[in-house]
Amino acid sequence: MEGAFKGFGPKAIPFLKALDFHQSREWFLENRDLFEKELRDPFGDLVETLTERFAAAGLGLRGDRKKSLFRINRDVRFAKDKRPYNRHLSAILSPDGTKMEQGVFYVHIGLERCFADVAWWQPEPALLLAMRKTIATQPDKFRAVVKALKKNSLELETEGCMKRMPRGFEHISEPDLAEAIRNRHFVVQHVIDPAGIHMAELVDELVDFTVRARPLLDWGRAIEGKVPEK
């Protein structure tokens, strides 16, 4: 198909390294064509190819090359670090194609690492509370999700979890449930080999990951559907 993802360009990561070294608007403008050819345009192809594949798999995730990509520019208004450019480029595919939804697919191509997440990231308070209550009151269902993810070689990330139990859940004593309730996010992650970003097969890899992460998507969506809208 027209615009099908064929891989990121061979200079995608070298471009990010050079941009990180220069951190200069003048350098970026001089090399904008390289950015677009090697990194941005292939990323747009990846988003739109994944949108078609996710639709075929019934995953309920979509995006497009204009709305889904995050800017390479950093927002430095309130940051101590005033470097103007990120060390990565990333994108989100979501149920409605915007960056405002929960239960999303996120892909990140960067200098430190390349990875993809399926995530309920920083859900708003009512949804997070509903997720925690579901874990506490329906532990068997939650454990079934964890078991299904483990069977698919995935596990929930625990980075950034609260050190203490949130108010109202102090009575939960089972270690696995307590750990889950302390989460601020519900995320599974797939590490991408940087050598593989240059090949069209990256699409198959990311679709396979997202299919394996479906138990988390389905669990969160069932809870989200019962949270009253504001």
Side-chain angles (χ1 to χ4, degrees), residues 146-154:
V146 172
K147 183 177 180 180
L149 291 172
K150 185 176 181 179
K151 183 179 178 181
N152 294 341
S153 303
L154 296 171

Side-chain angles (χ1 to χ4, degrees), residues 69-160:
L69 270 65
F70 289 94
R71 299 179 66 200
I72 191 77
N73 306 72
R74 296 180 64 245
D75 184 352
V76 300
R77 290 173 298 173
F78 308 108
K80 292 182 180 179
D81 183 351
K82 297 299 183 182
R83 289 178 297 176
Y85 295 102
N86 284 310
R87 296 163 56 86
H88 65 270
L89 195 64
S90 58
I92 275 184
L93 284 77
S94 70
D96 70 353
T98 73
K99 298 187 181 81
M100 305 305 293
E101 286 284 291
Q102 282 292 338
V104 302
F105 170 88
Y106 171 82
V107 58
H108 176 113
I109 303 299
L111 292 183
E112 286 84 5
R113 59 195 185 117
C114 301
F115 64 91
D117 288 340
V118 166
W120 299 83
W121 185 260
Q122 293 182 342
E124 54 92 17
L127 177 55
L128 181 57
L129 178 61
M131 289 175 148
R132 287 170 169 167
K133 284 183 175 179
T134 301
I135 293 168
T137 60
Q138 301 178 30
D140 290 346
K141 287 187 177 180
F142 176 72
R143 285 171 171 146
V145 171
V146 172
K147 183 177 180 180
L149 291 172
K150 185 176 181 179
K151 183 179 178 181
N152 294 341
S153 303
L154 296 171
E155 61 182 20
L156 289 172
E157 298 286 311
T158 58
E159 184 178 353

